Each structure stands twice: as structure tokens, then as C-alpha cells.
Amino acid sequence: MIVNLTPTEEQQLVEDSIRGLLAGKLPVDRLRESHSHGGAAERAIWNDLAELGLFGLGLAEERGGIGYGLPEEVIVAKALGAHLASPSIIAQMIAVHLADDATRPALMSGEARAAFVNAFDGGAHLIDGEGATHAVVVGQGGVALVAIDTLGTAEPVELIDETVAVAKVSTSASLSGGAEAERLSLLLATYMAGLAGATRDMAVEYAQTREQFGQPIGAFQAIKHQCADLALRAAGAETQCYHTAVTFGRGNDDGVEVACARLLAGEAALANAKQNIQIHGGMGFTAECDAHLFLKRSHLISMLGTSKAEVRKRILA
Amino acid sequence: MIVNLTPTEEQQLVEDSIRGLLAGKLPVDRLRESHSHGGAAERAIWNDLAELGLFGLGLAEERGGIGYGLPEEVIVAKALGAHLASPSIIAQMIAVHLADDATRPALMSGEARAAFVNAFDGGAHLIDGEGATHAVVVGQGGVALVAIDTLGTAEPVELIDETVAVAKVSTSASLSGGAEAERLSLLLATYMAGLAGATRDMAVEYAQTREQFGQPIGAFQAIKHQCADLALRAAGAETQCYHTAVTFGRGNDDGVEVACARLLAGEAALANAKQNIQIHGGMGFTAECDAHLFLKRSHLISMLGTSKAEVRKRILA
Amino acid sequence: MKIIDSAELDAFREEVRDWLADNVPKDPRPHDGAAMRDFDLAWQRRQYDGGWAGISWPKEYGGRGASVLETLIWHEEYARANGPVSGSMFVALSHAGPTLINSGNEAQKQRYLPAILKGEENWCQGFSEPSAGSDLSALKCRAVIDGDHLVVNGTKIWTTYGHLAKQQELLVRTDPDLPRHKGISWVICDMETPGVEVRPIKAMSGLTHFAQTFYDDVRIPLSNVVGEVNGGWKVAMTTLGFERGTGTVPHQIELSKRTDDMIAEAKAKGLLDDATGADLATLKAEVAALRSLTVAQISRGMSEAVPGAEGNIVALQFAELTRRVNGYALELFGPAALERGGHPDYPLEYLECFKWGIGGGTNEIRRNAIGERVLGLPKGPSAR
Amino acid sequence: MKIIDSAELDAFREEVRDWLADNVPKDPRPHDGAAMRDFDLAWQRRQYDGGWAGISWPKEYGGRGASVLETLIWHEEYARANGPVSGSMFVALSHAGPTLINSGNEAQKQRYLPAILKGEENWCQGFSEPSAGSDLSALKCRAVIDGDHLVVNGTKIWTTYGHLAKQQELLVRTDPDLPRHKGISWVICDMETPGVEVRPIKAMSGLTHFAQTFYDDVRIPLSNVVGEVNGGWKVAMTTLGFERGTGTVPHQIELSKRTDDMIAEAKAKGLLDDATGADLATLKAEVAALRSLTVAQISRGMSEAVPGAEGNIVALQFAELTRRVNGYALELFGPAALERGGHPDYPLEYLECFKWGIGGGTNEIRRNAIGERVLGLPKGPSAR
């Protein structure tokens, strides 16, 4: 098996169109305004996303999907991460795979909407749930798609990431593993690789333009080498996600590959977010600079579903 | 309780005299010649060490010792580490504490000699055992002093550190913990802090003198910041060892403090040794440069007695 | 290396402990805003009334005149009694006050020092500028002499509690033709002077700790210049702390407590396994190292008047370790620990701790200082 | 992003696999010395006889002319078959040979290339100097034209297998008055020329991998200059690997195997608990990242002729990871793993792996290159 990780022309088109849409409609700085929080900006373009074919991109044509595969889905997931898009878009992308024939068309058209529920020992968090008809419940045991009204009463709570709207709920959904759980885990990993890549780019741009001691700070090795480390981590996470997507179902141990992607991307997203703040100095510590948003989102997503301890166990499984 | 870590005048005298002796008789570069290996150079000055009062330095006067305490012993242990002295000197320093009244005088005078036996799951290594009459056996369970002839047949083996002479032996000594085992662990920790300090000094000296791109390499942040990290680790390890020595038996949890010292010093010795090699570039990779000797000794000593896993458990005990 | 024991110190410790037990505020300290400032000022006044204000300040300026050892005891007991952080009084007590004592004239001392100790006026620092960052000598904020006044124009940023302070220690460029380190003056600026405009800056934690200040033809009496006109660099550089390294003790003890609490909570919740145990043991060992480094720094302070550059080692260890400890809590306690508003509020503590290592000397600047001033490595090819 | 499948490639893979199964030496490769060199030359000859020598070299120069994909398959199968490292043939095959193909004249190609492929002559590299280190442009080794010869005086260091090589690619300064990067020539030096003296240097592992070479009035025919006199910098900089990133595949596969073996051994020995499991899982994930980074680099090599600076990312990840993996084995398996001479010889593997990240570009130089050439950051204040 020989793997080529260079995007095909078709994949490049997929990437260009999602990036184009996101650049226009979901620029990161939208989150400086609280009225864009909680997935509001995403809900406003939900139909555009559906029309772009995002919901069903990797679903087989015979099941009504676009007929691409995981490689195209991860391309989208990475772009979503780079734009700090609401996790609900990933939830919807997964929901179509989990849905039965009756529900699927409404999810694909965007008429029905999904949001994540993170089910953990002692509670559950519904994330950006406004307007959702379905919940993609994720936890140690895997994933399940349920109707939103199966969740207990929702009680708002603020998490570390104030740009998402969260409510405590309860759920008794029985989660299951398997290929769709792995797909979800890989999409989340790639979303985090997108976070890691975006903070690398932010840091590099700042290092090129910000001057101190009469030099752009990127000329100083202390900053330059930090940027190199950002690039190393982002590249490792991204290529592992892509490699896993391409080889999925082709004889590798997918569970191990996905778990590696998840661990690498989670660490890269967090470490890069912290380093990006550090490189931005005082500015990076303010709420006015976008650097902190990536840190907060990294914590949120790295704790969605499988825990780090569980991920590491799967790598050695 | 207020702790002052600045050496007293008397402690400074102890330090100056041991350093003076070691600088003259055990310069690190002696180990470039294999005839100094295996503790040979140390055996040649064993009587000088005894006359300096090293064997019994921290032993109470009523037991025939010099009457100093742990602070003075760790000052010596650190100097021994900085000179890559044979671990047998530490073994002898501990042996006088472990010995019964009949044996102690001969150990203090240097007439009887001790060497370490590292007892681990599956074997035991006698280190620099030539001429030894006694063995200080160390392992997970603690420490024991035994006569050298209680060990099984000695079969020479080369360890990672070719400057020590090692033999596989067997021992059925029953080890015990307690204050003397903690004392030993602290002396080994401080020996490693000595290794960490020496590699910091080596790296800094090289960075000050070696030029590249028309500058001393220490002017470049990549090297300067590595040196700062060497200094941070060495200082953390050293001050923790000293603090533990001063407060020993004064109401702190000595077991936890010693374990912290051991963990910090082991990590500092290893990390600094690696970084020192890196800073020395090609030269650091050669057998001609002393940098590798510190790496090898760090591995040897960090595995003597309590394992890292056990050390970490004790920190949380 | 020895234990210092004395009946006098024991008695002093007991006195401190008793007073703190009776006086440390029971109400939680507000996180920010005027309520926080008022809390800080009231607590300062209470210490003043108890005879504890300016613990290490010389007696002649109203301080307690405590020795290094007594100061250390004060800070230890203060931390153990959960005494509140000095917060919006920090600059006044630990920086501006000591600078005035060292370099101010008698009139300035009489005017400003009692007001600090009594909790009547707090101070902020106007050193950093948007374009200068860590490079103080590049500051541009301009002051022109006009009669018996300075007229200041420019801006300062990262001024901690600038929006809540009464006075400011302000560095301005009074002669742009002199070399960079010359031509700077150290001036007392009343924040209520016309032309001073303060824009609060929200931190990523959601709290508002600092501000940017804009100066538009701000007239400051020349009598507010501390030291010589154009001699401000020297004034700023010779500011001596009287605390001799003891000021970091509360942070160190606090971090140690936090780590022990985390370990206890992990045990209680059944989260302690070999893996988390290994991580927690490493953190606890690093906390022990921080404690020992702090003690070593204070030990040096007992015999050396001028604090050495080794303080950067303590500060660097603290800055990096506090992020690791607070970050690990989020990982250890799982998604529930991401919720805001709990006790402790893990995300708040975590987000706040990023300020260490950025404000008051970045980790990079500290590594430069350790390399150059502790280890004697040469300065870099360019500016530093 | 796709899987490349074709019957031709499958057939090629099978052919490679079969040949390697029959021909890879069963005897262990000697660790160093002439025995090692002779082993390497004999294995090269065997590959030549089998038609596999110079897998990616153009056919016109005696190579196999394999495509990038075929080269990749070769390296994959080679690693899986435990093929020996190219060792003392590495410079000839991967550097000197390709340089001659790119920049040599026809006579030079005819004289030297077949001797490489047939395993008759191995090469070493004479680039680094004691006072120049990573800074090639500062080289001082001097060559003066005397009739139709160059007369060389000076010294080179870190010459891998310099004491075992027949030919050397040598950079000398032919005009000290030109700017640093000019005035350098790329010369073929026969190591048996009078005046060449080689001092082997022992590495910290105890093995002797490299040497310092001294040149005392060494006369080299001008016909041995490759490219123009004073044009050596250009020759050195335009050396293109034909392998397009596939050359690192054996190292990556080897490290992957070593990691999996370590995990298996830990399981077998009952050493796998939550703590060691966490460490090993992290290492295995990093090994997966190295694999994926390598695949990405090769993917770029399929469409781009000139290898990009991204290769530094792969090299840096490998250099740092191999130290971590080999170092962890010592920690994991305890004091018994400190013994030399076992299978594997953990200390030997560990000590040897420090060469990555020092030789052929330090980690620091690679981080500079990633910062400047991949990310587009400005060069540093001084030289770099």
C-alpha cells in the first residue's frame, strides 16, 4: 500500500470551497462579539453548509450521500477547527452516518439539526444546542444519536470556553463503538489539528510583524525556535489525521491509528495554543486578541468523548 | 522553622577542603585513561579521604564520628558527583552509619572498604568492588551492610558506564528502610545534583568560548536559553537536596522530601547531561570530550537503589 | 546551611499568627473592579491600624522595619492564614513606595508614603508601551518642560489596575536627543489629572486587571519628578525591594497548597492510578524545588543587600510550574472541571496563571537574564 | 490524498521482496572498522550483481532508474527484510554520486560512478572544520593552484568513516579574497594521496565512526575539481538527492519496530502499568506521527523535483524521537538494561542515537531552517 498525502484536484476543490465559505461567513474575529457565540453564526449559514454538501460528504451515494470518503471529511474538519466553528457542524456530519433511513434526509438537508452531548462520569454537557433536534452523545463507550427531547432538563452552565453555549443535561443513551465512533474521533482529532495549524499561523504572522529591540521578534531564535516547534506539532498531528483518513479500512489497525491521531492532535492543539499566547506576550493574555479562544476551544474539544487516559489505552490495545 | 541555605563558615571549609583534594587528585579528565577506571584513582587516595574525615563526617561524636550532620555530608556528595568520583566513596560514607561497633572503626580509618551492590529484580551489580571488604546493598527495600564474601561469585560485566568496574553477583541480604536508607538516598540524589551542576558549568564554559558565525555560541538565544534551563534544573535539584539535609529530622516528612530530591536530581542529571552533549555539538558526541561521562554516570546512579516508579510512589505516600 | 531558631523569632511568629487569626478578612476578596480595590484599601488600613503596614519598610517612613527573617515569618504566616493578595496595593507597597524611599526627596516621601500605608492611595505602574514591549529603553511617551510643569503626551499599556489606581509611577522621555537609556524621567502622575484617559483591558479570564493609559497634554508639576530630570533610568534600575525575595513566599505556599489539594481530591475521587500518580508526584517534586529555590533566594537576601539575578530562576520556575499545576487540574478532573464558578473555579485559576511568565518579565526575558547575568554568557548579536 | 494501487507496483514489490529474501546477508553487520567497511562493500557488490545498485540513480549512469514510488517500495521492503544500513557506502550513494551526476564532467562520471555502484570505492565527506562547525561558509582549508594541481593544506573534522574511505568529496578555499561563499571549490580527493593523514575519532558509544583529516601539501590534479574552480559552493548547494525523501524510510521503520518490540517486551515482562502505558502510548503516537510526516514528505517528492525545507521537520522529529525511544528502554527495563553486549544492546543503541540531531545538521540548525525556510521568518540579527 502506497499512500499519497498530496490533495487530489477534487480534494483541493472541496478544501477551497469550504475555506472560501468560512473565510467569508465565519472569520475567527466574529467571536469577539457575543451575539455570534453559541453557534449563532453557524446557524445563520446552516443551509449554505447543507448546500455545500457538508452533511453527507463522506456518506455513500447509495445511502443518499455525496459519495466522498473520510479524506474529504477530514479536510472539512480541519478547516472548521481553523475557524473555531461550532462543534455542532461536526456533530451534524456524524449524525448522518448514525441516522436511520427515516431521519437521514432531514439531517442532510439541514432541516433537522444535531449538537453534541458530552457524557462523562457524573454529568453531561449539551454544546451549542439551540435549535437542535438531535443530539450526538459521545463518551468513553462511543457514540449514539438520540432525539433532543430524550435529554433531561437543560440547565445553563458556563464552561471555560465562553464562545459556546452549554447546558447541563442528563442522558441514558447507550453508546456504541465501531467504525462510526472511530470516524467521529478522527474528525474531532482533525478539528484539533486545525486549531494547532491556526495557532501556528497566528504566531508566525505575529512574529513576522511585531518588532522589538529593532527587529521582528521572529528574527530572535527564542521565538523562531518556538515557531518551529509549533510547526512540528501541527504537521505531526495533521499528517497523522490525513494518513489515518486515507488508510481507514485498508488493513491498518484503525483503532490504534485514530487513537494516535487523537492524542497527537489534542496535545498539539493545547501546546500550540499556549505557545501562541506566550509569543503574543501581553497582547496574548487579553480577551481582545483571538489567541485565548484557541486555548479554550482546545480544552473543550480535547475533553469531548474519549478521555486522554482511554485514548492512550487504545493505542496499546 | 527558618532555614538558611547559605553555607556556614565551617561548611565552607568542608567544601573547600574536599574540592581542593578532588581538584588535585580526581580531576574529571583522569577518566580519559582507563587505568583510572573502576575506582583505581579513588583507591589511591583512600587514606587521604579517611584523614579528611569523610568516613564518619556526619556520624555523632559519641559513636566515634566527626560530629557534623547531613548538611556537611551532602556538601561532600555534591563535590563527589561533580568529579565523577567512584560511588564507593558514598558507599563508605554510608557504611559507617550502618556498621556495628566492631566494624565501624576499620571503615572510618579506611582500613575496611565498602562498595555498592545494586540489587534489582533479576540480579545484582557490584560496582567498583576491587579491594572492598564490605558491600552496601541497595534496592527497593532499602539498604544493608554485608561482608563482601557473602556475595555469590562475581562475573564481570560491562555497563553503560565504562569508567566503573562492574560484576554480576548475587545477594540474599535483607534490606531495610528507615533513616539510614533515606540518608543514602539523599546522598545519591546530591551526587546527581553534583553531576547536573558540573554539566551546567561545562556547557556554560563551552558556550562562552566556542565561536560560530563570528560569535561565542552562548550569545545565541538557542544556546543561551538551553543554558538557562540547565541552570534552573541544577539549582532546583541542588537546593532541594540541601533543604532536605538541613531540615532532616525536624518535623518535615523526610521520606517525601528525600524522594522529591531524588526525582529532581535524577531528572536534572540526565537532562543536563544530554543537553550538554547537544551544546558541545560534534565534540560532545566523541569519547574524547568528557560530556558523555556525565550522561553515563547519570544513568548508572539514577538506577542505584530505589527505582523512579518507587520514588514517585513515595512522594505521594 | 542551618536552621535558625530563636525565642524572639518564635514570639514574633506567635504575635503575627494571633493578629492574623483575628484580622484576616473572612469575606472572599472580589475578583476585580472597584469592589476589589476598596477591599484591598480597607485591608491595608486594617494592617496599618494593627501596626503591620509596610512590614519591611524602614520605621522612619512609617513601616514596621522588620528584619528579613521577620518579614519571611510574616509572609509565611500570612499565606497560612489565607491572607488576601496585596492586589491593587502591590505596586504601591512593593515598587513605588520603595522607590520613593530610595530616591524621593523628603517632601515627596511625606506626601505619598503615609497615604500608601494607610490605604488611602494605591499606585499603578506606567512603564510599558505598545511599541516597546519588553524593551523599556525604547519608550516614546514624551514629556516637555513648560515652566514648572512637564507636559506629557503618549500612551502606556499593560498597566495593572491602572483603571483603579490613584497615583502612577510614570516613565517618560524628557530628552529624545540623548542616548536611549538617558533622557528618561521618573514622574509621579496623579491619575485624576486632566488629559489622562484610561481604557481598561479585559484579560482572557474575563477579569479586568490592566489598562491602557493615554496622555493628552497632561500637565504634571516638575516637583513630581523623582530623582533628576533625565535621570529616570537610574531611578528605575535602583529600585530595591526591601523584601529580599520574601515577597514570592505567599505565591509559593499557595501553589503548594493547591497541589496538595489536587492530590487529596484525586485520592478522594478515586482518580489516583499509576499514570496520574506519576504526573502528580512530578508536580509535587517541582513544587518542592520551588520552595527550596525560594528559601535559597531568601538565604542570599539575608547577607546580600542587592537582590541577585538568581531571582529570575525562582520567578521562571514559578511561572512555568503554576501553568502546569493549574493546567493539570483540568485534565485530571475531566469535563466537570471545565465549568466556571465552582470552588475552586478551575478555569479561572488556570487562565489567570498565564500572566506569570508574560507580565513583569516574560519567560524569554528571564532566560536571557539567567544566561547573561547569572551564568555570564555574552549578550546577543543585536540589542540584547 | 489517496491510496496508490497498481498491478505493476505490486509486481515490483514482489520482485524486490523475493530478491531481498534470498540475498540480505544473514550474518550480523560488524559495528565498525575495516570488517564493517568490507561488509558494506560486499553487500553493495551483491546488489549490483542483482541489478539493484543505485536504485534511484539514472540508468545512464548505471543506476536502476527507479521511480519515486519504486524507490519507496524498495526502501520499505528493505527495512522489513532487515537489510543492513548503507553505512560506509552512504556518502557515495546518497551524496557524492548524485553530486557527480549533477555537476561532474563526463570523464569524472565514468571514472567514479561505476566504482561506487560495484562496491569498489566508498566515499567520505570533507566539509566540516574544527573552527567552522555548522558554518560551512567559514571554511579555511586552503588550496593553491600550482600548475595543473591544487595544493591543499588544512584540516577537516567529523568525517564519517574518513578512516575507511577511498575517496573524499572535499570543500577547499581556493580564493580567500572573494566573499565567504565564493572562492570555494569542490574537489575529489583520493584518501591515499601523499600528505593526507587520518586520525580516527572514537564516539561516546565506543565505536569509531568518524575521523579528522589533515592535509599537508596534498597535491590533487585540477581535473578533480567538480564544477568550476571557486564554484564549489554552488556545486555543494545544488546536490540533489534522487531519493526524494525515501531515504529516511528505513530509519523510520526501524524506530517503529524498536518501539513495538519495547512495548511487547514490557507486556511480556509484566512491566506495563498505567504509568509506563501512558509513556509508551505517547511514544507510539509520536512514531506514528514520524511515519505520517515521512509519507507526507515523500508525497511532496512525487510532484516536486527539489526537496523542500519541510524535510527538516521529518529530520527533527526523528532526531528527537529516537533519543526518547532509546532512552526510555533504559528506564523501563531497569538496571539489567544498562548491561552492554545484549540483544538488543540497549546502551549501544541509545548512545549511538545521539548522532542524530548533531551530525548533518544540529537540531538548532534545523529549527532555524524550519523557522526561516518553511515558515518565512526573518534571518537573525547576525549571520543567522
Side-chain angles (χ1 to χ4, degrees), chain D residues 327-351:
Chain D
Y328 194 69
L330 296 190
E331 184 180 325
L332 181 61
F333 298 127
L338 296 182
E339 293 176 7
R340 291 291 298 257
H343 297 285
D345 186 329
Y346 290 111
L348 180 69
E349 301 289 346
Y350 169 67
L351 295 170

Side-chain angles (χ1 to χ4, degrees), chain C residues 47-375:
Chain C
Q47 291 174 84
Y48 180 82
D49 292 338
W52 297 101
I55 182 78
S56 57
W57 287 23
K59 279 189 175 161
E60 54 180 312
Y61 299 114
R64 173 102 186 182
S67 68
V68 177
L69 295 183
E70 288 169 340
T71 306
L72 172 60
I73 289 171
W74 167 262
H75 284 304
E76 283 180 355
E77 294 303 323
Y78 189 99
R80 282 175 198 144
N82 292 314
V85 297
S86 54
S88 56
M89 281 300 296
F90 176 79
V91 170
L93 290 168
S94 298
H95 201 272
T99 304
L100 289 176
I101 293 172
N102 280 317
S103 307
N105 59 36
E106 204 48 39
Q108 290 165 339
K109 290 174 183 174
Q110 294 304 332
R111 161 64 187 86
Y112 294 104
L113 297 176
I116 291 173
L117 294 182
K118 290 177 192 169
E120 292 167 357
E121 292 185 347
N122 65 342
W123 286 60
C124 62
Q125 190 176 67
F127 285 10
S128 294
E129 296 184 11
S131 58
S134 303
D135 181 10
L136 270 192
S137 71
L139 68 86
K140 292 190 178 125
C141 188
R142 186 79 174 88
V144 177
I145 297 178
D146 179 27
D148 56 359
H149 277 72
L150 284 173
V151 182
V152 177
N153 281 286
T155 181
K156 293 286 177 178
I157 198 166
W158 313 130
T159 302
T160 303
Y161 300 128
H163 54 301
L164 300 169
K166 176 69 173 84
Q167 307 288 350
Q168 181 174 48
E169 43 174 5
L170 179 62
L171 284 182
V172 290
R173 187 164 298 281
T174 31
D175 189 340
D177 298 329
L178 290 173
R180 300 176 99 202
H181 293 78
K182 316 256 173 185
I184 292 173
S185 299
W186 200 108
V187 192
I188 303 166
C189 172
D190 186 316
M191 295 298 278
E192 290 168 18
T193 316
V196 173
E197 197 186 310
V198 182
R199 184 180 71 90
I201 301 173
K202 199 161 79 167
M204 64 180 184
S205 64
L207 303 183
T208 302
H209 292 314
F210 35 65
Q212 180 165 9
T213 315
F214 300 90
Y215 309 85
D216 181 14
D217 284 337
V218 175
R219 297 184 67 84
I220 302 177
L222 270 175
S223 59
N224 278 20
V225 174
V226 173
E228 306 287 322
V229 170
N230 292 338
W233 185 259
K234 201 176 131 205
V235 173
M237 290 298 111
T238 52
T239 295
L240 297 185
F242 298 114
E243 305 201 324
R244 306 276 184 88
T246 60
T248 59
V249 168
H251 299 307
Q252 171 249 311
I253 294 180
E254 159 81 18
L255 188 61
S256 174
K257 270 195 222 168
R258 179 167 296 276
T259 308
D260 286 340
D261 288 350
M262 180 162 66
I263 293 168
E265 190 176 344
K267 280 182 186 165
K269 288 184 172 166
L271 294 171
L272 201 61
D273 60 23
D274 290 328
T276 58
D279 294 337
L280 288 167
T282 302
L283 291 175
K284 191 171 161 78
E286 292 290 345
V287 167
L290 174 65
R291 185 268 329 267
S292 298
L293 288 167
T294 305
V295 171
Q297 179 70 2
I298 294 168
S299 300
R300 279 186 292 269
M302 293 181 201
S303 49
E304 298 162 18
V306 181
E310 288 89 354
N312 284 291
I313 292 183
V314 184
L316 182 60
Q317 170 80 354
F318 178 74
E320 302 206 322
L321 187 56
T322 187
R323 291 188 195 178
R324 284 168 63 190
V325 168
N326 285 294
Y328 193 69
L330 296 190
E331 183 180 326
L332 180 61
F333 298 127
L338 296 181
E339 292 176 9
R340 292 290 298 257
H343 298 286
D345 186 328
Y346 292 111
L348 179 68
E349 302 289 346
Y350 169 67
L351 295 169
E352 276 290 301
C353 76
F354 277 79
K355 69 180 164 214
W356 307 104
I358 292 178
T362 63
N363 290 338
E364 290 73 32
I365 296 287
R366 292 204 189 282
R367 284 196 166 84
N368 280 348
I370 294 168
E372 290 163 16
R373 292 170 55 208
V374 178
L375 302 176

Side-chain angles (χ1 to χ4, degrees), chain A residues 78-92:
Chain A
K78 181 163 170 258
L80 293 172
H83 283 265
L84 292 167
S86 170
S88 296
I89 301 179
I90 302 274
Q92 186 101 353

